[in-house]
Amino acid sequence: MKKIVLAASLSLLATGLQADDIKPEKAIEYRQSVYNVMGWHFKTMGAMVKGEMPFNKEVFAKKAEIVAFMSPLPGEGFIKGTSSKEVPESKAKAILWEKMDDVKAKSQDSQKETKALAEIAKAGDEKAIKEQFGKTAKTCKACHDDYREE
Amino acid sequence: MKKIVLAASLSLLATGLQADDIKPEKAIEYRQSVYNVMGWHFKTMGAMVKGEMPFNKEVFAKKAEIVAFMSPLPGEGFIKGTSSKEVPESKAKAILWEKMDDVKAKSQDSQKETKALAEIAKAGDEKAIKEQFGKTAKTCKACHDDYREE
């Protein structure tokens, strides 16, 4: 039996798994993949908000739902030994692991706002959607500013 | 305004977007990221099914839900000009774009089985879960066998 254990310590790890024998590169690839998918959809929403493409409420709402669903997922990729100091592919500053309470708070904040965006997008008021999009983007940026390498 | 248009032609493109000015590399990165995230969770489910790690119903159900939710997402990354013939990073055989009806059918099949897996996992019967896991894995393999480069 592989030496894989369940870690209940971090509420960030929404799906509850920690693995002693997961390769750091795999965990980094996982979390970066989650952010890539979220970014892909968020970018299109941003283009609609900025008027760079037609505003399509149905598509916007679907994309907001995807981003909201995925926002808790990156957590389990942040296993120890995966900072940019330790692995070149990583964009996560080592300080992230020292400020875990703040990271969790910022993650919760982002999850809350993406969820609100999905709900508001479903309701369909374009002005409210655009306001909430900006509010949501700020919660992404808050974490990037402090914990992501440029 | 950017030259981005809505494409309604492919039901595969579940979230409805096609973009003339999306870089092929970005579309490939997007769909590979979706598969990476699904693969990450599917792998842990597989380890539980094979007895390589303790079977945790709650974690399994959450992961099955993630895979089911994400299974329609790769579609919009399969824009034209992104086969392995055209872009070295691509793992998608050029024939995929010639057999779109079959690709769509296989994708629908996979979405159906991942959804069933999520429902069965939630119900919690371990034997039924394991059976449905095997059934689901087969639908992933069906597409890989025909359309993914080794």
Side-chain angles (χ1 to χ4, degrees):
Chain A
M1 187 176 281
K2 281 194 212 165
K3 225 174 63 172
I4 302 186
V5 294
L6 295 173
S9 57
L10 278 179
S11 67
L12 245 187
L13 306 182
T15 49
L17 284 176
Q18 178 70 290
D20 286 351
D21 60 353
I22 288 175
K23 286 183 190 163
E25 288 75 10
K26 281 286 166 194
I28 293 165
E29 182 187 69
Y30 165 72
R31 69 193 191 218
Q32 289 183 349
S33 293
V34 175
Y35 290 128
N36 276 339
V37 177
M38 291 171 74
W40 168 274
H41 295 290
F42 207 73
K43 203 178 162 186
T44 305
M45 290 192 273
M48 288 185 191
V49 166
K50 285 182 249 166
E52 293 171 356
M53 64 183 293
F55 199 91
N56 180 310
K57 281 181 191 176
E58 201 188 337
V59 172
F60 191 101
K62 181 63 197 169
K63 287 180 176 287
E65 186 197 347
I66 294 168
V67 171
F69 182 91
M70 293 187 72
S71 66
L73 301 192
E76 66 179 284
F78 286 94
I79 61 174
K80 284 183 184 173
T82 61
S83 76
S84 58
K85 263 195 187 168
E86 294 153 307
V87 187
E89 289 81 8
S90 175
K91 287 187 175 181
K93 293 180 183 172
I95 198 176
L96 185 150
W97 284 265
E98 289 161 33
K99 303 265 190 179
M100 203 44 96
D101 284 349
D102 182 56
V103 172
K104 282 187 212 176
K106 285 190 164 66
S107 170
Q108 288 298 332
D109 203 29
S110 188
Q111 290 176 47
K112 186 176 144 250
E113 299 302 342
T114 54
K115 204 177 165 191
L117 181 61
E119 281 160 11
I120 289 166
K122 213 173 165 187
D125 180 290
E126 203 172 317
K127 190 167 169 284
I129 290 170
K130 288 180 179 178
E131 271 176 25
Q132 182 58 31
F133 180 83
K135 216 169 160 184
T136 306
K138 270 186 197 160
T139 67
C140 305
K141 192 175 179 295
C143 226
H144 295 170
D145 284 349
D146 289 349
Y147 302 112
R148 189 177 69 168
E149 301 284 359
E150 285 312 304
Chain B
M1 189 176 282
K2 281 193 211 163
K3 224 175 59 173
I4 302 186
V5 294
L6 295 174
S9 58
L10 278 179
S11 67
L12 245 189
L13 306 182
T15 50
L17 285 176
Q18 177 70 291
D20 286 351
D21 58 355
I22 289 175
K23 286 184 188 164
E25 288 75 11
K26 280 287 165 193
I28 293 165
E29 182 189 69
Y30 165 72
R31 69 193 191 217
Q32 289 184 349
S33 292
V34 175
Y35 290 128
N36 276 339
V37 176
M38 291 173 74
W40 169 274
H41 295 291
F42 208 73
K43 203 178 161 186
T44 305
M45 289 193 272
M48 288 185 190
V49 165
K50 286 182 248 165
E52 292 171 357
M53 62 185 293
F55 198 91
N56 180 310
K57 281 180 192 176
E58 201 189 338
V59 171
F60 191 100
K62 180 64 197 168
K63 286 178 177 290
E65 186 197 346
I66 294 168
V67 172
F69 181 91
M70 292 188 72
S71 67
L73 301 192
E76 64 180 284
F78 286 93
I79 61 173
K80 284 184 183 173
T82 61
S83 76
S84 58
K85 264 194 187 169
E86 295 154 306
V87 186
E89 290 81 8
S90 176
K91 288 187 174 181
K93 292 180 184 171
I95 198 175
L96 185 150
W97 282 264
E98 288 160 33
K99 303 265 190 181
M100 203 44 96
D101 284 350
D102 183 54
V103 172
K104 282 187 213 175
K106 285 190 165 66
S107 170
Q108 289 297 330
D109 203 28
S110 187
Q111 290 175 47
K112 186 177 144 249
E113 299 301 342
T114 54
K115 205 178 163 189
L117 181 61
E119 281 160 11
I120 290 166
K122 213 174 165 187
D125 181 290
E126 202 171 318
K127 191 167 167 286
I129 290 170
K130 288 179 180 178
E131 270 175 27
Q132 182 58 32
F133 180 83
K135 216 169 161 182
T136 306
K138 269 184 198 161
T139 67
C140 305
K141 193 174 177 295
C143 226
H144 295 169
D145 284 350
D146 289 348
Y147 301 112
R148 189 178 67 169
E149 301 284 358
E150 285 314 301

